[in-house]
Amino acid sequence: MSQDSIIKTYRFNPAVVEIELKDLSFIQQLPHLLGRPHRVAFYQLLWIKEGVFVCQIDFEKVHLKPGEMLVITPGQVCAFDIVNDYKGSLVLFTTSFFSRTEEDTHFLYTAEILNPAVLVKKIALCPELLTNLITLLENELNRKKEKLHSAIAQNYLRILLLEAERGVNTVDLKVNTTLVRDFYHAVEIRFKHNRNSNFYSNLLGVSEKVLTKICKDFIGKTPKLYIDERIILEAKRLLSYSDQTIKMISFELGFEEPTNFIKYFRKHTKETPKNFREAQKRI
């Protein structure tokens, strides 16, 4: 069974330009869809202009106030606010739309604001700056399509992301952060098929010792621990947001036997998959 049939996943509507700008009022018009846990296969930049917006990102409740922007990356499970009063905008875009050059692609996989290892990516930006950028983007998207339309829209989006990246408070670490992000990206693609850290060091062309040192310096954990945490996160998503059996989930995550998955889950969480699922139902 594919993952799309497990947790509802929304893909980008076919369009000439794979970017959309929506008013947040559309969320409350689709409460049965967007108010429930779901995934998206594209990036989302959610900006609050007025009011308070409360949403669930994986297993964390997030409060957004005016001037704050939330970045949701592909694959995250989210449930949007369908109760409170708020105003704002949502920018949706695909990887292929933004990746016009090799530098663009590199940015998607190295920017701290798009870091897949951080579940909640929230940043405060200047309201006037956000308003101006959103207005420019909206005006461009409403123009008649011509040969420069996509490039101009992408450049407004690039400025928005670069401003968000500049606003992130990062520690000046003297390590190869690009290698760490390459590791993150490799794990995102392959964690269901390979849990061996040596596999990833070989894939990235470095020794396991080098990868371990850099990961410890940058994120404070070994590659193996990061891989384990990524698998457990996905297991918790499936146990919480799907009705798939534990046996099916174990196969979905690459375990040959359900008993191996149960032992693995209990080792890393101190409880069985069944107990975790039952506890989530009571929340």
Side-chain angles (χ1 to χ4, degrees):
M1 182 180 295
S2 69
Q3 189 165 301
D4 285 4
S5 64
I6 301 167
I7 299 175
K8 183 65 177 179
T9 300
Y10 298 109
R11 302 190 181 280
F12 211 88
N13 290 329
V16 176
V17 180
E18 292 186 343
I19 182 171
E20 283 189 67
L21 176 62
K22 292 181 175 291
D23 187 279
L24 288 185
S25 60
F26 92 101
I27 291 176
Q28 297 190 340
Q29 297 170 8
L30 300 169
H32 59 296
L33 298 178
L34 302 181
R36 298 175 61 83
H38 63 277
R39 295 181 194 260
V40 293
F42 43 83
Y43 291 91
Q44 300 179 95
L45 308 178
L46 195 153
W47 170 52
I48 299 300
K49 186 176 182 180
E50 295 179 17
V52 176
F53 183 90
V54 182
C55 62
Q56 193 83 12
I57 301 296
D58 287 314
F59 305 97
E60 295 192 38
K61 182 171 286 189
V62 182
H63 292 75
L64 288 178
K65 58 181 184 292
E68 292 185 328
M69 185 174 76
L70 177 68
V71 179
I72 304 173
T73 50
Q76 289 194 282
V77 176
C78 49
F80 289 154
D81 191 336
I82 58 174
V83 176
N84 293 307
D85 292 325
Y86 49 80
K87 292 183 180 180
S89 302
L90 182 65
V91 180
L92 322 173
F93 68 96
T94 64
T95 299
S96 59
F97 170 77
F98 189 79
S99 301
R100 297 175 63 88
T101 67
E102 186 175 334
E103 183 180 356
D104 296 333
T105 303
H106 179 75
F107 179 83
L108 286 182
Y109 297 128
T110 60
E112 182 65 24
I113 195 64
L114 303 175
N115 187 346
V118 180
L119 297 185
V120 177
K121 296 171 276 289
K122 183 171 68 170
I123 186 72
L125 293 175
C126 172
E128 291 78 15
L129 175 64
L130 268 173
T131 299
N132 290 336
L133 286 173
I134 292 294
T135 300
L136 287 169
L137 179 59
E138 181 178 25
N139 290 340
E140 183 59 37
L141 293 178
N142 288 334
R143 287 172 62 93
K144 182 179 179 180
K145 305 297 185 295
E146 39 79 27
K147 65 179 182 179
L148 295 178
H149 175 71
S150 179
I152 292 174
Q154 196 250 18
N155 274 284
Y156 288 141
L157 174 61
R158 180 188 288 112
I159 295 172
L160 181 58
L161 289 173
L162 289 173
E163 286 290 347
E165 181 69 3
R166 182 160 63 179
V168 176
N169 294 319
T170 57
V171 179
D172 184 19
L173 294 173
K174 295 180 180 180
V175 297
N176 188 341
T177 58
T178 298
L179 177 60
V180 176
R181 300 297 163 71
D182 287 343
F183 170 66
Y184 291 160
H185 183 51
V187 172
E188 282 300 302
I189 296 173
R190 300 172 177 84
F191 74 88
K192 292 183 180 180
H193 309 291
N194 203 304
R195 300 188 292 276
N196 191 322
S197 59
N198 185 57
F199 167 83
Y200 293 98
S201 62
N202 289 335
L203 182 69
L204 298 172
V206 297
S207 69
E208 190 166 10
K209 182 178 179 180
V210 168
L211 182 61
T212 297
K213 183 180 186 307
I214 291 176
C215 285
K216 281 185 175 180
D217 288 343
F218 188 62
I219 58 176
K221 61 187 69 171
T222 64
K224 182 65 169 68
L225 180 56
Y226 176 82
I227 296 166
D228 289 338
E229 289 180 350
R230 181 63 184 88
I231 294 167
I232 292 299
L233 170 62
E234 198 67 19
K236 287 181 175 180
R237 286 171 172 168
L238 298 175
L239 290 166
S240 299
Y241 304 128
S242 78
D243 57 4
Q244 197 177 19
T245 67
I246 292 173
K247 180 179 180 180
M248 290 178 177
I249 292 173
S250 67
F251 293 147
E252 180 80 16
L253 296 177
F255 291 86
E256 294 183 358
E257 296 291 339
T259 53
N260 294 338
F261 168 63
I262 293 171
K263 290 178 182 178
Y264 180 90
F265 190 89
R266 183 164 51 196
K267 175 184 176 181
H268 293 284
T269 67
K270 309 304 180 186
E271 61 183 329
T272 65
K274 179 180 179 181
N275 289 343
F276 175 82
R277 169 171 272 175
E278 291 175 349
Q280 289 297 303
K281 290 179 180 179
R282 295 194 294 268
I283 295 178

